Amino acid sequence: MKLLMGILLALSLAVMVLCLFATHFKEHDLKNLVQNILSIAILIIFNYEIVLFLDDEQWNLFAHSIYFVATDWILYYLLQFSIEYSGSDFNQFVRKKAMIFLLMADSASLLLNTVSGHLFSLYVSDYKGESYYAMSTKPPFYVHYFIIIMLVSFCLISLFYRAFHMPLFYRSKYLAIAVILVIIILANIISFKKAIDFSIIGYSLEGIALYYCTFVFTPQRLLRKTLLLVSQDMTIGLIVLDIEGKLLYSNNFARDLLTSDSTLTDNQGMSFMEWCRKRYFSNEDNAAQDYIFYRGSDKITLNIQFQNLMDSHNNLQGAYFVIYDRTEEINKMKEERFLATHDSLTGLYNKSYFCHVVEGYIKSHTEEELLLLCTNIKDFKMINDLFGSQMGDMILKGCADIIRLKENKAIVYGRLNNDIFALLIRKSDFNENQFMSRMQEIFSSEIENEFSYPLINYIGVYEIIDRSIPVAVMCDRAKLAISKIKGDYHNRVAYYNETLRNDIRYETELISDLDDAIKQKQLKMYLQPQVSSDGKMLGAEALVRWEHPVKGMISPGQFIPVFEKNGLISDVDKYIWETACQQLLAWKKQGRDNLYISVNISPRDFYFLNIYQIFTELVEKYDINPRNLKLEITETAIIMDFQRQMELISKLREYGFSVEMDDFGSGNSSLNMLKDIYVDILKIDMIFLQKAQDEERSKKILQMIISLSKELGMPVITEGVETVEQVQFLTQMGCDMFQGYYFARPMKVEQFEKIYFTD
């Protein structure tokens, strides 16, 4: 029996040494714990070999003590291993320092037993004809036994707790170690005080099991189940065919493609499964690529990679398909591309992409005669303000539908910005009258009915002759053509030509020359006298003339509309206002402080300038009476923001300025305005009579306005008076202040002073 046990222990020892050696080369968090357990297990087995074959009682007593000490520490490290290995929270219940202290005390007690014999003693026993040293325990020994049971219990609790909180196929990893530990305990109980301790073999089994479960063991069932779960829940389809092309396996994603209520087919009506089989037997290239399929009317884009399955001898075993649904990705890319190239409101090309497409077309169709059209809705901003942006958006979408669906002769079309649309059309397809009548007809029938407001659409046309010009510049030129007819109710189509180009170039030159004109005093203040009916000069209106060093005298009709359009009129006005104040100061020094100069305030000045601040600072700077600086405000400026302008006029009058309402009767005046407006002077333009079809009727209305104004305490000046007859009937009506060519044309200040200051 001794020999058999010795052989078993020797074999176990050899295996344990191999495991310890292999552990040295592993990379694992539990490596050190496994090495400690294997080392102590080797010590226990080697020590028991000594116990079996050594006859010396004292050495046997020492060997037994070493065995019990080693048992303490191997169980301690096994407990640490079980806690770390199972990942349980049991570690919080184990006080590591206290346990080490307890084990060190127990170890010391066991080693002292060799001398004192207070724990156990040995005696010779006979077993099947062979003598052994058997152990006789004393009561203090059970302290050690209690420590052993405590450590074993902790190990088992940790391992079993973890095992039964894991999926079934994971449990074997933890149960294997726990079961071997139970076997050791049972063997130890059975062998306790026996001649031969068979539990020693259990330590080698435990060590081998630790090594195997830690570094080697992966349950095949676990592997299969894991692969199955992973493949089933993948967002990528997987189809496996056998060597005959029959379906061997498909995951959930692929099964949806194969068994959906609506069959997935290619563009020839072949089902997806049939397509896979055909692909398998075709032996085509297996690179992944996109394929288009259809489910009803929906287009599905699948990225499919085909791969043959070969065995170790390179024999065909079947094939598999890896399928990725790129439909959403493709649709998102299309949407992003669409948003990058199309207008989000109307769905037409945006400006940059329209220009890109047109550029490509005109370069590739050099023989075609082409026109670039820009459309613009009259007063669209006002429509937006009156009816709201929602209605404005509806109009823009309606315009887009007209261009896209009804005007199908356009080659390319898009929305440039706001209410500006652009079209590329063949010159032969464009009939101005038909195009405009067709557009207006659709406007009237499909859009105006929605909100009962007349829409007028202007068209600017640029004929593409020089194809090297950027398309954006072509669009600008078509829009410039529109600017020449805006506000015209009769002309709806304008062509860009050399005359218009020259006008634009001329306007650009005027704009660039304005700064120098102000700095070099090229802008001159001219005065046109305001007189009584007998020709007595009462004051003058300040007008501006431009004495250009190269272009010569430039009339106000040439540069004022240009500057009003781009906002530069404010620079001109400020210059003339200050010049007028300088002149009033000069007259004051001459003792002529009873004269006044009227200056004009353009409608745009109210939006770009602080009118009140500028004029109050000017009269204080030049120390002049504000009564001598009369301020002319057009009725158009007042109507645009009535409440705000009334507040401003009231502040100016309170300061001491006289305020004139200019051009009364030439725009949208109403008698109701006279009730609400408070100005010092009403200025009537003779164009009031020139526009009338019934002159006598107009004269009666004019008579009533003059009479009503005088009743309200507002003197009346009539401008544009050119004949003696006009002076006579205006005088009869009660008008006693005049301005016009009949009395004098605008003149330089020197000429004005020469005529009116000479006694």
Side-chain angles (χ1 to χ4, degrees):
M1 183 62 73
K2 279 187 178 183
L3 181 60
L4 177 61
M5 188 65 175
I7 293 171
L8 289 175
L9 291 177
L11 291 174
S12 299
L13 191 62
V15 174
M16 295 285 285
V17 170
L18 289 174
C19 289
L20 180 62
F21 179 76
T23 303
H24 178 73
F25 299 99
K26 301 295 183 181
E27 293 293 334
H28 199 282
D29 294 340
L30 299 175
K31 173 182 175 179
N32 291 335
L33 281 173
V34 174
Q35 283 180 324
N36 291 339
I37 293 170
L38 289 173
S39 298
I40 297 174
I42 290 170
L43 175 63
I44 290 173
I45 295 170
F46 181 76
N47 184 72
Y48 198 72
E49 288 273 14
I50 296 174
V51 171
L52 279 177
F53 298 103
L54 191 64
D55 290 334
D56 186 276
E57 181 179 352
Q58 193 63 30
W59 274 105
N60 265 276
L61 189 63
F62 178 74
H64 274 77
S65 297
I66 293 298
Y67 164 68
F68 290 127
V69 170
T71 303
D72 276 351
W73 290 102
I74 195 172
L75 288 174
Y76 169 76
Y77 284 118
L78 184 61
L79 173 61
Q80 294 300 317
F81 173 86
S82 66
I83 293 172
E84 294 291 334
Y85 181 71
S86 65
S88 66
D89 298 327
F90 193 70
N91 198 31
Q92 60 184 315
F93 301 107
V94 178
R95 296 293 178 262
K96 191 173 181 180
K97 290 183 179 179
M99 186 167 287
I100 290 174
F101 176 79
L102 180 62
L103 292 177
M104 290 180 68
D106 189 49
S107 299
S109 176
L110 288 166
L111 292 174
L112 285 173
N113 183 73
T114 308
V115 179
S116 65
H118 65 286
L119 296 177
F120 61 88
S121 60
L122 299 178
Y123 63 91
V124 178
S125 175
D126 183 71
Y127 180 72
K128 294 184 179 181
E130 295 178 320
S131 60
Y132 297 89
Y133 279 102
M135 186 176 67
S136 174
T137 60
K138 298 177 181 179
F141 179 80
Y142 291 97
V143 174
H144 164 73
Y145 209 70
F146 172 77
I147 293 172
I148 295 297
I149 292 173
M150 177 186 68
L151 291 171
V152 170
S153 300
F154 284 166
C155 289
L156 292 176
I157 290 171
S158 177
L159 290 167
F160 279 111
Y161 176 83
R162 182 64 174 173
F164 288 101
H165 282 78
M166 295 297 291
L168 184 61
F169 50 81
Y170 274 101
R171 293 178 186 173
S172 57
K173 295 183 68 174
Y174 306 105
L175 291 179
I177 300 172
V179 167
I180 293 174
L181 185 58
V182 170
I183 292 172
I184 294 174
I185 299 304
L186 292 174
N188 188 265
I189 293 172
I190 295 171
S191 304
F192 188 58
K193 295 186 179 181
K194 300 292 184 181
I196 296 178
D197 187 355
F198 293 102
S199 66
I200 299 297
I201 302 297
Y203 288 107
S204 63
L205 295 176
E206 187 71 74
I208 295 168
L210 286 178
Y211 174 84
Y212 180 73
C213 290
T214 305
F215 302 120
V216 180
F217 177 70
T218 302
Q220 290 302 309
R221 185 160 162 251
L222 166 63
L223 182 59
R224 290 193 300 271
K225 186 69 174 178
T226 302
L227 290 175
L228 183 63
L229 288 174
V230 170
S231 66
Q232 287 290 18
D233 295 336
M234 283 193 308
T235 56
I236 297 175
L238 180 63
I239 291 177
V240 182
L241 303 181
D242 64 14
I243 194 169
E244 296 177 349
K246 295 178 181 178
L247 181 63
L248 191 63
Y249 172 79
S250 63
N251 66 356
N252 291 334
F253 183 95
R255 199 171 297 116
D256 288 341
L257 298 177
L258 298 173
T259 62
S260 176
D261 293 339
S262 181
T263 305
L264 193 68
T265 61
D266 66 1
N267 57 3
Q268 297 178 346
M270 183 182 296
S271 71
F272 184 66
M273 192 64 229
E274 292 173 343
W275 184 91
C276 290
R277 289 195 182 96
K278 181 182 177 182
R279 181 73 180 77
Y280 168 58
F281 290 115
S282 66
N283 293 320
E284 297 175 6
D285 183 31
N286 61 0
Q289 56 183 301
D290 289 345
Y291 297 92
I292 304 298
F293 295 89
Y294 298 89
R295 179 175 284 125
S297 59
D298 296 334
K299 182 187 289 187
I300 310 296
T301 304
L302 300 178
N303 184 274
I304 302 175
Q305 180 179 8
F306 164 76
Q307 187 70 49
N308 284 323
L309 288 170
M310 314 299 289
D311 63 12
S312 58
H313 301 291
N314 206 31
N315 295 319
L316 181 65
Q317 300 296 306
Y320 68 87
F321 294 83
V322 178
I323 307 159
Y324 174 55
D325 188 351
R326 296 191 64 227
T327 306
E328 185 176 346
E329 179 185 346
I330 295 294
N331 290 341
K332 188 174 182 180
M333 288 172 56
K334 288 180 179 178
E335 182 181 356
E336 290 175 352
R337 192 181 302 119
F338 182 87
L339 293 175
T341 57
H342 290 69
D343 172 53
S344 58
L345 177 65
T346 63
L348 302 184
Y349 288 157
N350 58 24
K351 181 178 180 180
S352 60
Y353 197 63
F354 172 82
C355 293
H356 173 73
V357 175
V358 170
E359 181 181 0
Y361 188 88
I362 63 178
K363 285 183 178 179
S364 61
H365 295 75
T366 55
E367 301 302 318
E368 289 186 10
E369 294 184 327
L370 301 169
L371 301 177
L372 194 145
L373 280 56
C374 282
T375 73
N376 180 229
I377 301 172
K378 183 181 183 297
D379 297 330
F380 180 74
K381 184 180 183 304
M382 186 179 73
I383 293 171
N384 236 354
D385 293 341
L386 288 174
F387 298 99
S389 60
Q390 187 174 358
M391 182 60 72
D393 289 347
M394 189 208 76
I395 293 171
L396 294 175
K397 288 190 281 189
C399 292
D401 290 340
I402 290 170
I403 293 171
R404 177 172 46 232
L405 304 175
K406 304 298 175 59
E407 191 46 56
N408 51 21
K409 290 184 179 180
I411 302 168
V412 187
Y413 40 80
R415 180 189 176 201
L416 303 187
N417 52 57
N418 299 328
D419 59 321
I420 305 293
F421 294 86
L423 303 88
L424 180 70
I425 193 169
R426 295 179 185 85
K427 187 176 181 179
S428 58
D429 290 336
F430 181 67
N431 183 297
E432 176 183 320
N433 295 328
Q434 289 181 1
F435 186 89
M436 282 307 303
S437 61
R438 174 65 174 152
M439 291 287 284
Q440 202 60 45
E441 176 187 341
I442 298 171
F443 257 55
S444 302
S445 62
E446 299 192 12
I447 299 179
E448 289 180 12
N449 291 337
E450 296 289 332
F451 67 115
S452 302
Y453 189 92
L455 290 176
I456 295 175
N457 201 30
Y458 293 113
I459 307 291
V461 182
Y462 175 78
E463 183 174 359
I464 300 175
I465 297 173
D466 184 354
R467 297 174 185 246
S468 64
I469 296 174
V471 176
V473 175
M474 298 179 186
C475 294
D476 290 339
R477 292 182 176 182
K479 289 188 288 184
L480 283 171
I482 294 175
S483 67
K484 291 300 180 181
I485 55 172
K486 264 199 168 181
D488 193 330
Y489 284 84
H490 301 289
N491 296 320
R492 305 287 180 83
V493 180
Y495 289 81
Y496 181 89
N497 51 36
E498 287 304 312
T499 301
L500 179 60
R501 181 180 180 181
N502 292 335
D503 290 344
I504 295 168
R505 181 185 296 140
Y506 185 74
E507 291 178 2
T508 304
E509 291 174 356
L510 292 179
I511 292 169
S512 63
D513 289 347
L514 178 60
D515 285 343
D516 288 340
I518 293 174
K519 292 175 184 176
Q520 298 171 12
K521 299 187 183 299
Q522 298 171 18
L523 297 180
K524 304 294 183 181
M525 182 180 73
Y526 276 48
L527 297 175
Q528 187 174 27
Q530 296 177 344
V531 299
S532 61
S533 58
D534 58 1
K536 180 181 178 182
M537 189 270 292
L538 305 173
E541 179 182 5
L543 302 170
V544 63
R545 298 293 184 268
W546 189 347
E547 296 179 2
H548 197 281
V550 177
K551 296 180 174 65
M553 179 65 74
I554 305 175
S555 69
Q558 290 178 282
F559 64 85
I560 286 182
V562 176
F563 297 149
E564 283 181 336
K565 185 166 58 177
N566 57 35
L568 291 174
I569 191 64
S570 298
D571 295 336
V572 177
D573 286 344
K574 285 193 296 182
Y575 176 79
I576 294 300
W577 297 341
E578 184 148 14
T579 304
C581 291
Q582 292 170 350
Q583 190 59 56
L584 287 171
L585 175 61
W587 288 350
K588 177 182 177 181
K589 291 178 180 179
Q590 296 174 21
R592 301 182 183 276
D593 54 358
N594 60 327
L595 296 176
Y596 66 83
I597 295 177
S598 296
V599 295
N600 290 282
I601 304 176
S602 301
R604 283 183 174 267
D605 293 339
F606 292 98
Y607 295 97
F608 295 108
L609 302 175
N610 187 331
I611 300 296
Y612 181 82
Q613 180 181 345
I614 289 175
F615 280 109
T616 53
E617 288 179 353
L618 280 174
V619 296
E620 290 173 7
K621 176 181 178 180
Y622 292 101
D623 191 25
I624 58 175
N625 191 331
R627 281 282 168 191
N628 293 340
L629 185 66
K630 296 185 182 294
L631 310 180
E632 294 192 12
I633 301 175
T634 64
E635 62 165 271
T636 303
I638 295 174
I639 290 172
M640 283 194 301
D641 195 347
F642 186 81
Q643 188 59 40
R644 180 169 173 264
Q645 308 305 30
M646 287 299 97
E647 292 175 1
L648 175 60
I649 289 171
S650 177
K651 285 177 64 179
L652 291 169
R653 294 181 72 223
E654 287 176 7
Y655 190 85
F657 292 104
S658 292
V659 179
E660 301 178 3
M661 187 165 77
D662 194 13
D663 294 339
F664 186 84
S666 62
N668 299 311
S669 308
S670 69
L671 293 178
N672 190 53
M673 282 185 62
L674 297 179
K675 170 176 69 70
D676 298 320
I677 196 169
Y678 289 90
V679 294
D680 297 286
I681 299 171
L682 198 67
K683 196 170 187 181
I684 300 174
D685 197 323
M686 281 301 293
I687 197 171
F688 181 86
L689 294 180
Q690 295 172 8
K691 286 185 176 180
Q693 295 179 353
D694 188 337
E695 189 172 330
E696 288 302 318
R697 184 183 180 92
S698 298
K699 286 181 179 179
K700 290 178 182 179
I701 296 173
L702 183 60
Q703 170 70 74
M704 181 183 65
I705 293 172
I706 293 173
S707 300
L708 184 59
S709 299
K710 298 192 73 143
E711 287 291 328
L712 294 173
M714 287 189 293
V716 176
I717 298 178
T718 306
E719 62 179 341
V721 178
E722 297 181 352
T723 65
V724 65
E725 289 80 13
Q726 291 174 342
V727 175
Q728 290 172 351
F729 79 74
L730 287 170
T731 302
Q732 292 171 3
M733 290 181 181
C735 181
D736 46 14
M737 288 189 289
F738 305 91
Q739 180 180 338
Y741 286 179
Y742 175 75
F743 296 98
R745 291 177 177 271
M747 61 190 75
K748 292 182 178 181
V749 175
E750 297 80 5
Q751 186 180 1
F752 180 89
E753 291 178 341
K754 183 177 180 180
I755 294 174
Y756 294 102
F757 289 1
T758 303
D759 293 335

